[in-house]
Amino acid sequence: MEQESKWIRDIQRGGSRQAAEKLVERYYDEIYIFVYRQTGHKEDAMDLTQSIFLAVLRALPSYDPKKAAFRTWLYRIAANKVIDARRQSWPVTTPLEEIELPVQEDFVSRIYDRELLERIEDYVSGLSPSLQAVFRLRLYGEQSFGEIAAALGQSEPAVKSQYYRLLGRIREEFDPHG
């Protein structure tokens, strides 16, 4: 973390390209996975990940470590970029050549799960950006409620409440047996 703070200071003070490369390298895979889980498509995830890091580097001069840890701040930007991309109705599909051919009985459940996930994703994309961010950071970013609260500037109980209320709404909407 101390090295990370030095990179951030070097970028903020002198626009150090080397420090920027190190910082991006440190978090690239983690953010790519976060984005890929939501897009399901390698090229889209790569494009969006690059867009996220460009936004991070542009906004870095205004980053304040007293307000949030860098990782928290980074995920907030990433979640907002994913929300923006979804607003532009980014298709959540996996190309046929990337789909493994499953065993016959598993095939139907996988298609159903993929279809259900896309319907849930469409539903969540219509919600407020704040609620989308809670959902995405928890589900795709695997962030703790504390980390999400810090990223969004909300209390942890408020974030938990929003998340569990949203899960209840999703269950009502998409679980015919629930």
Side-chain angles (χ1 to χ4, degrees):
M1 289 302 171
E2 197 170 306
Q3 184 64 49
E4 179 180 287
S5 298
K6 183 185 178 327
W7 293 334
I8 291 168
R9 279 192 311 275
D10 289 350
I11 296 165
Q12 287 176 325
R13 289 184 186 146
S16 169
R17 183 185 179 105
Q18 184 179 10
E21 287 173 7
K22 295 280 187 195
L23 194 62
V24 169
E25 187 179 298
R26 161 74 180 84
Y27 285 100
Y28 189 88
D29 290 346
E30 186 177 335
I31 295 300
Y32 172 80
I33 290 166
F34 172 70
V35 173
Y36 181 80
R37 285 178 175 159
Q38 296 175 76
T39 63
H41 194 267
K42 281 187 242 180
E43 288 77 19
D44 291 343
M46 288 171 66
D47 290 346
L48 193 49
T49 300
Q50 290 202 316
S51 170
I52 288 165
F53 280 107
L54 285 172
V56 164
L57 292 173
R58 277 191 205 111
L60 203 55
S62 66
Y63 166 68
D64 182 356
K66 293 178 193 101
K67 291 184 180 174
F70 177 76
R71 185 173 183 270
T72 300
W73 183 75
L74 170 64
Y75 267 94
R76 183 178 192 171
I77 291 173
N80 287 335
K81 284 285 186 187
V82 169
I83 290 167
D84 290 345
R86 293 289 304 175
R87 261 194 212 122
Q88 297 167 3
S89 68
W90 200 318
V92 181
T93 57
T94 302
L96 226 43
E97 61 271 12
E98 288 182 29
I99 297 176
E100 294 175 29
L101 291 177
V103 197
Q104 192 63 40
E105 73 252 6
D106 198 32
F107 184 68
V108 173
S109 66
R110 279 197 181 178
I111 287 176
Y112 178 74
D113 288 348
R114 169 58 99 183
E115 184 181 302
L116 178 62
L117 185 60
E118 287 178 20
R119 286 177 37 226
I120 290 171
E121 194 50 64
D122 286 343
Y123 176 79
V124 169
S125 293
L127 302 173
S128 73
S130 175
L131 199 50
Q132 284 187 58
V134 168
F135 177 79
R136 294 175 187 293
L137 289 169
R138 182 72 179 169
L139 186 68
Y140 300 115
E142 298 175 348
Q143 302 277 302
S144 71
F145 288 117
E147 290 170 318
I148 296 168
L152 301 178
Q154 299 179 19
S155 72
E156 191 171 333
V159 167
K160 279 184 183 177
S161 172
Q162 289 175 63
Y163 180 75
Y164 288 117
R165 266 199 316 265
L166 175 57
L167 286 187
R169 286 167 57 188
I170 289 171
R171 250 185 228 106
E172 278 178 27
E173 186 79 22
F174 296 99
D175 185 4
H177 309 296

